[in-house]
């Protein structure tokens, strides 16, 4: 029975990786089709200088961030969740909190077989709902614009991250307070004292904070404090 | 064919790409659902996960529509629609578009009307510069997962702590970010307190929801605690900003 379960787990994970590869490489190709199709349909040639300058100014930083984010987020998102999240984006502000909340509700661990299923379901649902809401938003963009750009609502959407991580943080920090003290204190000191750290750089600070937390946890674990 | 950033054919092209990405999500959802039921997981539990994830997603997704509307002023609707439906964000797309436009001697935010060549250049830079995660995940995910499994076999307690530490590390970075303007308080200004107070309001809402679950024994309250706390926190930002900005 256990052997059968183990085989099913292995074959499921194998299929997740197999289909993940097929989908992600296909999406990668399809994403390139958009600019290529526009170029062909309108007889346009990319502006060489603009392309070069744009890539030099943009790509190195985002490639570096992309590499670090991939290694940081895969263990948290699970296999299925990773393949989906790195295609659909909005990982730290939407997909990962969504998966975390789902794991919490289901009372399963992220690194379990159930956790893999739950996080994939949560992230896939979130991706579908996001896509559908954006489609509706695009269809209704003209009538919605006065509402969406209403200055009264501006502060609400500007504070979405504090609202999200306040609610999420209180659950996870209170449950793992021994692990949380050191990284929370370090991040508070860094963000308060270094003006360059802001919404644009928080993505870079996530891996820094994760690595620091892992080191602190390891030391505490070895000393028998956890 | 005369080019325009809102040409119907661009909507069609963006729609095709988005349909493929949507199909990937549906594909993974169905397979994970089947796997869950095969493992004996309760269908009601799985359905609850789907509903919770959907409800939780609404507010952040509306924020993405605002980003589409903002970027559409220069780039038309189809390109921001596509870019923000796949991997991308308002800040990234703005930086990519701005850098490319500067390279072409024009600037984002001005009343410039893009031609097809400029449009193709911008969308190429946006596509190439953020492609890493899409191809790197298939390359490394399997190996990383094997590493996690072998860590769990060696020391299960540490594997659980490892996982919890990663989540806490991520949350700690964002809690730090909430305080990024806090320094303004030392200069006699109060706007840096706005995100801190919003964070506290949503945390308090979450704590109250938890207390309500314990008092009433109604589990469904905890299902909606996060999305409701998120919206309460966001709503509180309106009077808090009016007070402190």
């Amino acid at each position: 029975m256990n052997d059968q379960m183990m085989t099913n787990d292995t074959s499921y994970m194998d299929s997740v990786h197999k289909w993940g590869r097929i989908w992600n490489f296909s999406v990668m190709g399809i994403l390139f089709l958009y600019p290529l199709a526009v170029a062909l349909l309108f007889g346009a040639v990319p502006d060489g200088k603009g392309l070069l300058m744009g890539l030099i100014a943009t790509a190195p930083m985002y490639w570096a961030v992309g590499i670090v984010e991939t290694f940081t987020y895969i263990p948290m998102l699970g296999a299925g969740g990773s393949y989906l999240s790195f295609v659909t984006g909005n990982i730290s502000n939407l997909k990962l909190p969504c998966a975390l909340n789902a794991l919490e509700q289901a009372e399963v661990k992220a690194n379990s077989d159930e956790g893999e299923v739950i996080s994939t379901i949560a992230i896939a649902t979130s991706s579908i709902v996001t896509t559908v809401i954006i489609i509706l938003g695009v269809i209704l963009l003209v009538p919605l614009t006065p509402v969406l750009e209403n200055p009264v609502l501006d502060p609400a959407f500007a504070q979405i991250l504090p609202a999200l991580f306040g609610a999420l943080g209180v659950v996870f920090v209170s449950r793992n307070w021994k692990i949380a003290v050191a990284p929370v204190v370090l991040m508070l000191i860094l963000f308060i004292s270094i003006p360059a750290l802001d919404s644009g750089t928080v993505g870079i600070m996530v891996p820094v904070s994760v690595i620091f937390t892992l080191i602190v946890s390891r030391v505490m674990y070895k000393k028998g404090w956890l | 064919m005369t080019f325009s950033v809102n040409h119907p054919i661009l909507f069609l092209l963006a729609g095709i790409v988005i349909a493929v990405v949507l199909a990937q999500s549906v594909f993974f959802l169905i397979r994970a659902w089947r796997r869950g039921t095969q493992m004996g997981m309760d269908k009601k539990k799985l359905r609850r996960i789907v509903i919770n994830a959907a409800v939780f997603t609404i507010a952040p997704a509306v924020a993405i529509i605002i980003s589409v509307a903002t970027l559409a002023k220069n780039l038309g609707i189809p390109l921001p629609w596509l870019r923000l439906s796949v991997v991308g964000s308002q800040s990234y797309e703005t930086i990519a578009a701005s850098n490319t436009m500067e390279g072409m001697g024009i600037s984002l935010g001005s009343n410039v009307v893009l031609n097809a060549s400029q449009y193709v250049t911008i969308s190429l830079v946006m596509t190439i510069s953020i492609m890493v995660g899409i191809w790197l995940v298939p390359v490394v995910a399997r190996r990383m997962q094997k590493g996690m499994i072998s860590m769990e076999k060696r020391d299960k307690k540490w594997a659980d702590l490892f996982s919890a530490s990663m989540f806490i590390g991520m949350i700690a970075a964002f809690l730090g970010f909430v305080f990024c303007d806090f320094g303004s308080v030392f200069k006699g200004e109060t706007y840096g307190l706005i995100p801190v107070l919003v964070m506290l309001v949503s945390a308090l809402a979450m704590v109250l929801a938890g207390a309500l679950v314990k008092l009433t024994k109604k589990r469904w309250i905890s299902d909606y605690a996060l999305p409701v706390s998120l919206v309460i926190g966001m709503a509180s930002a309106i009077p808090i900003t009016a007070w402190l900005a």
Side-chain angles (χ1 to χ4, degrees), chain B residues 111-130:
Chain B
N111 287 329
V112 66
V113 179
L114 295 175
N115 62 35
S117 169
Q118 292 164 337
Y119 187 85
V120 169
T121 312
I122 292 167
S123 56
L124 265 175
V125 172
M126 284 176 166
T127 309
I128 295 168
S129 301
I130 205 159

Side-chain angles (χ1 to χ4, degrees), chain A residues 8-9 12-15 17 19-21 23-25 28 30-32 34-35 38 41-42 44-47 50-51 55 57-59 62-63 67 71-72 74-76 79 83-84 86-90 92 94 96 98 100-102 105-107 109 111 113-114 117-118 121-122 124-131 133-134 137-138 141 148-149 152 155-157 159-160 162-167 170-172 180 187-188 191-192 197 199 202 206 209-210 213-214 217-218 221 226, chain B residues 1-3 9-10 13-14 17-18 20-22 24-25 27-29 31-32 35 39 41 45-46 48-50 53-54 56-57 60 62 64-66 73 77 79 81-82 84 86-87 92 95 99-100 103-104 116-117 119-121 123-124 128-129 131-138 140-142 144-145 152 155 157-163 165-177 179-180 194-195 199 202-203 206-207 219 222-223 226 229-230 234 237-238 241:
Chain A
N8 283 343
D9 290 346
Y12 173 71
M13 287 318 301
D14 283 344
S15 79
H17 288 296
W19 285 108
R21 278 194 199 114
W23 275 105
N24 280 37
F25 286 126
M28 205 173 120
I30 287 164
L31 284 175
F32 274 109
Y34 183 83
V38 177
L41 286 167
F42 292 95
V45 179
D47 181 301
L51 187 63
L55 284 176
T58 317
Y62 282 94
W63 285 349
I67 291 167
F71 287 101
T72 309
I74 286 177
M76 294 193 247
Y83 287 108
L84 276 178
F86 280 91
V87 166
T88 55
N90 290 296
S92 59
L94 179 52
L96 192 51
C98 188
L100 268 175
N101 188 43
Q105 294 301 321
E107 293 169 350
K109 293 213 163 98
N111 51 350
D113 295 330
E114 289 88 354
V117 167
I118 296 290
I121 289 176
T125 305
S126 180
S127 302
I128 293 165
V129 172
T130 307
T131 310
I133 289 178
I134 299 176
V138 165
L141 197 60
L148 294 175
E149 294 188 347
V152 175
F157 288 107
Q159 299 301 334
I160 197 162
L164 172 59
F165 282 94
V170 76
V171 176
F172 281 86
M187 286 298 121
L188 287 182
F191 272 92
I192 292 172
L197 294 179
S199 61
V202 65
V206 171
S209 178
V210 166
T213 314
L214 285 172
S217 296
R218 185 70 186 168
Y221 177 61
L226 294 174
Chain B
M1 226 172 355
T2 312
F3 176 79
I9 205 131
L10 300 182
L13 290 172
V17 179
I18 289 163
V20 174
V21 173
L22 194 59
Q24 181 181 10
S25 301
F27 179 87
F28 273 88
L29 175 61
R31 288 182 70 87
R35 178 68 191 136
M39 287 164 70
M41 292 172 82
K45 188 177 181 178
L46 297 180
R48 250 181 46 215
I49 297 299
V50 169
F56 169 76
T57 303
V62 172
I64 298 173
I65 300 174
I66 296 173
K73 286 167 193 160
I77 297 171
L79 186 58
W81 173 36
L82 167 64
L84 295 173
V86 297
V87 58
Y92 164 73
I95 290 167
N99 288 339
T100 315
M104 295 186 289
S117 169
Y119 187 85
V120 169
T121 312
S123 56
L124 265 175
I128 295 168
S129 301
M131 199 56 93
V132 171
I134 301 181
W135 64 261
L136 193 55
V137 171
V140 300
R142 191 188 203 108
M144 285 186 72
Q145 205 178 26
E152 192 161 344
D155 187 345
K157 192 181 175 193
W158 169 242
D160 288 346
L161 281 170
F162 185 91
S163 183
S165 301
M166 293 203 85
F167 290 133
I168 289 293
M170 196 258 308
I171 290 169
F174 280 94
L175 291 181
F177 154 72
F179 286 79
C180 70
I194 298 169
M199 179 195 75
S202 81
M206 198 73 179
V207 170
R219 230 193 101 76
S222 74
D223 290 351
L226 185 64
S229 303
L230 170 67
M234 287 169 70
I238 298 171
T241 306

